[in-house]
Amino acid sequence: MSHGLVIGKFYPPHAGHLALVRAALARCDRVTVQVLGSSQESLTPELRASWLRAELPGAHVVAGLDDAPVDYASPEAWDAHVAVILGLLDAPVDVVLTSDSYGAELAQRLDATWLQVDPGRRATPVSGSAVRADPARYWWALPSGVRAWFVRRVVVLGAESTGTTTLAEDLTAHFGLPTVAEFGREWSEVRPGGLAAPWHTAEFDLVAREQARREDDAATASPVPLLVCDTDVLATTVWHERYVGRPSPSVVALAAQRVPDLYLLTGDEIPFVQDGMRDGEHLRHTMQDRFRDALTAQPAPWVELRGSRAERRERAIALVDPLLAVPRPLAEPLEQRHGDPERVSRLRDSVA
């Protein structure tokens, strides 16, 4: 078979979709995958397509908007969908591969052969609706990019010597998460000129980008839809002001693109501990006020935690638990009508 076609919403992509496309790649010289999303859905078709391209480099993945009603018994709906499909094709197809029985009708309309793969999804028991309802249950079935999207992100930040790393490590251990360490501290240890040399905006750009990269990498590897980070790009904007004396437009812009689900601000009521790297004891309370201002100005919820290590940990867990329990929401796709293949067949026969 020369050219195979796989279509779907891929809302979101999962192991069943990947198995279907890989079956097509094994049978066809060329495979086109069409991601057909509606405008009411939360994930753009192009974003879903990018996730598939990362997992399936051998396939030609394209994305399109398809807002036609999903009604398998409506010739008008079929005409509208096929028009979108044909508009995305750059060459005729020989075979249509689907798990569901609508593939028979689609193949006929495209003058192609229909090949059904894993009917009833017995080999890969997962569906988009099941993933949307409970992504944690189907975590095993999600590509890394989809996992990263579903991960709820919690950031611990605060002024020097307020226990941010301690709390982040306690939460990471409690929930069994990968560590997202503070790159800024590592850079401080190796930067040219040491701690005494003047700081430059380019350094904070480096710190911000590397911190974001570490966070994103950890999100793809997390065993559950949760991540706890020791600082983030927003904190980098505050430290840039501290050491350079003014905001950094580039770091501020990056922080605006990376709003987490929750900020935990560690309190400054505990004693200051000098570890050889800290230089801001005289500014600690002023910096804490600056963190409060920065958090108030951004859209994510935030809570300041004070008290003993155990008290902070207990309250933080109580704040984070609901995030892990409630999946990141996705809008429902267009309603599907007359999806039962036997009913569709009866309707078609009655029309004939």
Side-chain angles (χ1 to χ4, degrees):
M1 292 175 280
S2 175
H3 189 186
L5 174 66
V6 176
I7 72 165
K9 290 184 175 296
F10 304 96
Y11 189 52
H14 54 66
H17 296 135
L18 300 183
L20 175 60
V21 177
R22 286 171 180 144
L25 290 169
R27 292 166 171 81
C28 303
D29 297 331
R30 181 179 180 222
V31 174
T32 294
V33 179
Q34 293 189 356
V35 180
L36 306 176
S38 75
S39 55
Q40 78 176 39
E41 295 163 353
S42 305
L43 304 172
T44 66
E46 184 54 41
L47 176 60
R48 292 173 247 177
S50 70
W51 289 334
L52 289 172
R53 292 185 191 112
E55 299 289 329
L56 303 162
H60 175 56
V61 183
V62 297
L65 197 62
D66 185 357
D67 281 325
V70 184
D71 188 343
Y72 293 103
S74 167
E76 294 78 15
W78 269 108
D79 289 343
H81 291 299
V82 171
V84 173
I85 292 167
L86 288 173
L88 292 173
L89 285 175
D90 59 4
V93 297
D94 306 300
V95 59
V96 172
L97 299 95
T98 69
S99 293
D100 297 326
S101 55
Y102 72 81
E105 175 81 7
L106 178 59
Q108 181 180 356
R109 286 173 172 266
L110 297 178
D111 194 23
T113 300
W114 175 46
L115 179 60
Q116 191 171 25
V117 178
D118 190 19
R121 299 184 179 90
R122 290 185 292 269
T124 313
V126 61
S127 68
S129 58
V131 170
R132 292 192 297 273
D134 191 357
R137 180 179 179 183
Y138 295 96
W139 207 239
W140 59 269
L142 302 184
S144 59
V146 181
R147 288 188 180 191
W149 187 90
F150 272 112
V151 162
R152 310 301 292 265
R153 305 190 188 204
V154 177
V155 176
V156 184
L157 43 63
E160 282 186 323
S161 190
T162 57
T164 56
T165 298
T166 297
L167 180 59
E169 289 176 347
D170 284 349
L171 292 177
T172 295
H174 174 80
F175 290 104
L177 309 176
T179 299
V180 185
E182 181 185 4
F183 176 67
R185 182 178 178 87
E186 298 176 20
W187 175 250
S188 298
E189 294 174 348
V190 300
R191 65 186 295 264
L195 294 176
W199 286 80
H200 303 284
T201 293
E203 294 181 84
F204 288 92
D205 283 331
L206 169 66
V207 169
R209 291 194 301 269
E210 175 61 15
Q211 193 68 45
R213 186 196 66 78
R214 291 185 176 194
E215 182 180 326
D216 290 343
D217 284 353
T220 66
S222 180
V224 293
L226 180 67
L227 196 64
V228 175
C229 306
D230 181 2
T231 199
D232 76 338
V233 179
L234 178 67
T236 307
T237 69
V238 177
W239 293 117
H240 183 278
E241 292 179 18
R242 157 76 168 86
Y243 287 103
V244 181
R246 62 183 184 276
S248 164
S250 56
V251 179
V252 169
L254 182 59
Q257 300 170 18
R258 303 183 60 81
V259 179
D261 295 275
L262 175 67
Y263 277 111
L264 299 176
L265 176 65
T266 48
D268 60 346
E269 83 285 1
I270 60 177
F272 187 93
V273 177
Q274 179 55 258
D275 63 356
M277 295 287 293
R278 296 167 176 157
D279 65 352
E281 181 175 7
H282 62 296
L283 294 173
R284 186 167 69 138
H285 298 307
T286 300
M287 287 297 297
Q288 191 75 354
D289 287 338
R290 181 66 193 98
F291 272 107
R292 294 187 185 107
D293 291 343
L295 289 170
T296 300
Q298 57 80 50
W302 67 277
V303 177
E304 185 167 355
L305 301 178
R306 304 172 77 86
S308 68
R309 176 176 180 176
E311 290 170 335
R312 293 181 178 198
R313 177 181 179 275
E314 182 178 358
R315 189 177 179 206
I317 290 172
L319 291 167
V320 174
D321 272 335
L323 290 177
L324 187 56
V326 179
R328 192 176 299 284
L330 283 171
E332 286 300 308
L334 293 174
E335 179 185 2
Q336 178 176 300
R337 299 177 181 177
H338 306 127
D340 176 71
E342 293 184 2
R343 184 178 183 185
V344 172
S345 178
R346 291 195 299 271
L347 287 169
R348 186 180 296 114
D349 290 343
S350 67
V351 172

